[in-house]
């Protein structure tokens, strides 16, 4: 079950939540396939102005996306292609909604979760 947490500047996020949720969901479904749509979980976290930094300086065009995926995805023969597509698609989703100026400041991190360490509603995820 892909689950995404996105930290974005609050001022840039306000009013664009629905569009961003749709774009991020479509990015993940575009890589995984339609079967994943109902499994995609997204959490948007607005970060107050001055709390994103790059190179020791505050920036207002940063985005940090952490996508939790099953560890088995990294063992597939096409893992390099899949991970590259996810990174590009998620970055494109952010820039498509918030603007091209976000591209250079968007970081995507893919985090592997073994199946036995993923739970939904208190029970192991299927």
């Amino acid at each position: 079950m892909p689950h995404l947490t996105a930290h974005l500047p609050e001022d840039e996020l306000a009013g664009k939540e629905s569009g961003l949720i749709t774009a991020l969901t479509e990015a993940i479904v575009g890589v995984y396939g339609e079967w994943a749509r109902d499994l995609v979980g997204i959490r948007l976290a607005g970060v107050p102005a001055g709390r994103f930094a790059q190179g020791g300086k505050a920036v207002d065009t940063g985005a940090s996306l952490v996508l939790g995926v099953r560890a088995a995805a990294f063992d597939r023969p096409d893992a390099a292609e899949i991970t590259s597509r996810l990174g590009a698609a998620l970055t494109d989703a952010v820039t498509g909604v918030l603007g091209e100026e976000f591209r250079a400041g968007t970081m995507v991190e893919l985090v592997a979760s073994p199946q036995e360490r993923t739970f939904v509603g208190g029970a192991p995820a299927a």
Side-chain angles (χ1 to χ4, degrees):
M1 131 188 259
H3 51 277
L4 176 73
T5 301
H7 291 88
L8 305 130
E10 183 67 45
D11 292 344
E12 295 291 332
L13 179 59
K16 298 175 186 165
E17 295 89 348
S18 180
L20 190 56
I21 288 168
T22 297
L24 292 169
T25 300
E26 293 303 324
I28 294 169
V29 170
V31 173
Y32 278 112
E34 192 60 39
W35 66 266
R37 182 176 301 282
D38 289 340
L39 301 175
V40 175
I42 296 177
R43 284 157 299 292
L44 301 178
V47 178
R51 293 193 181 172
F52 260 105
Q54 182 68 39
K57 296 177 184 173
V59 297
D60 59 0
T61 55
S64 174
L65 286 71
V66 178
L67 179 64
V69 298
R70 291 283 173 87
F74 296 104
D75 296 332
R76 297 170 44 139
D78 60 349
E81 177 192 348
I82 295 293
T83 57
S84 178
R85 287 178 57 204
L86 281 168
L90 291 169
T91 300
D92 288 346
V94 169
T95 59
V97 174
L98 299 181
E100 192 60 35
E101 64 273 15
F102 272 80
R103 184 169 301 280
T106 297
M107 181 188 75
V108 176
E109 181 179 4
L110 305 178
V111 178
S113 297
Q115 183 171 349
E116 65 274 9
R117 294 185 195 165
T118 304
F119 297 83
V120 176

